Amino acid sequence: IRHGKTRANEAHLYCGSTDLPLSEAGKAELVKLHYGVTPERFLTSGMRRTNETLRILFGDVPFTPVPEFREVDFGAFEMHSYEELRENAGYQRWITGDNEANVPPKGESGVQMTRRVLAAFSELPDGTALICHGGVIAAIMAACFPAEGKHRYQWQPANGHGYELSGDTYRPIP
């Protein structure tokens, strides 16, 4: 499940490593969601926005923070918008060509994040709810369902939404 909206989501800012809380609108949207699953265990990335999402959706349940499920670190581009960065030569180098492999200054590439995430994902037992980030979910889904031919951003769910995986199938939730 992707965390609820933050002010960075609302302002279309690159936000991976910045530990933001949910926005008021993000909290209000989550309260309206209803999940038809009762997980045996809960994990988050340990970031404030994922922990707050867990509490709103599932109440005061025990959980384990797993930092390997953090969003990609956008480095020098963190908390900036495309409009702010579009004339920046370093930004243009990052988004030009293979921006999955390109590393933003002082950040990590999509490839590096995916490697980190998939290693942790391979250890998850069945019955686990993971509250994390859009890029993390997209990386997992693209790796698990390559035959669908979707790129990472096509897998990214809306805030507060995600996927239930069962064997080699999935369904969107909620």
Side-chain angles (χ1 to χ4, degrees), residues 1 7 15 18 23-24 33 40 43 50 52 56 64 68 71 78 82 91 102 110 114 120 123 130 150 166 171:
I1 299 169
R7 72 173 180 84
C15 180
T18 304
S23 67
E24 290 306 312
L33 297 177
E40 296 171 31
L43 302 178
T50 62
E52 289 178 1
I56 291 169
T64 303
E68 287 79 10
E71 183 61 277
E78 186 81 13
Y82 169 80
Y91 177 74
N102 293 345
T114 297
E123 303 293 322
L130 171 61
K150 295 180 181 179
S166 179
R171 73 176 181 90

Side-chain angles (χ1 to χ4, degrees), residues 36-162:
V37 295
T38 308
E40 296 171 31
R41 72 196 55 74
F42 297 89
L43 302 178
T44 73
S45 70
M47 299 195 85
R48 187 170 172 188
R49 58 194 181 265
T50 62
N51 297 346
E52 289 178 1
T53 297
L54 170 71
R55 294 287 186 233
I56 291 169
L57 294 177
F58 295 101
D60 191 22
V61 296
F63 71 96
T64 303
V66 180
E68 287 79 10
F69 290 115
R70 292 179 331 269
E71 183 61 277
V72 68
D73 183 347
F74 294 106
F77 307 136
E78 186 81 13
M79 298 305 291
H80 294 283
S81 68
Y82 169 80
E83 289 76 25
E84 293 174 306
L85 296 169
R86 67 180 172 203
E87 302 297 324
N88 179 301
Y91 177 74
Q92 286 302 317
R93 279 191 298 279
W94 176 59
I95 65 168
T96 302
D98 185 357
N99 77 333
E100 275 299 300
N102 293 345
V103 181
K106 301 178 185 175
E108 72 179 326
S109 72
V111 170
Q112 291 168 323
M113 182 270 294
T114 297
R115 221 177 275 132
R116 165 174 51 82
V117 166
L118 293 180
F121 182 73
S122 71
E123 303 293 322
L124 286 186
D126 290 343
T128 302
L130 171 61
I131 292 59
C132 57
H133 309 271
V136 170
I137 294 168
I140 291 168
M141 295 301 289
C144 289
F145 302 99
E148 299 233 358
K150 295 180 181 179
H151 62 71
R152 245 176 34 143
Y153 297 104
Q154 291 172 309
W155 282 113
Q156 189 166 301
N159 293 94
H161 297 260

Side-chain angles (χ1 to χ4, degrees), residues 16-28:
S17 61
T18 304
D19 198 12
L20 294 178
L22 298 175
S23 67
E24 290 306 312
K27 291 176 187 177

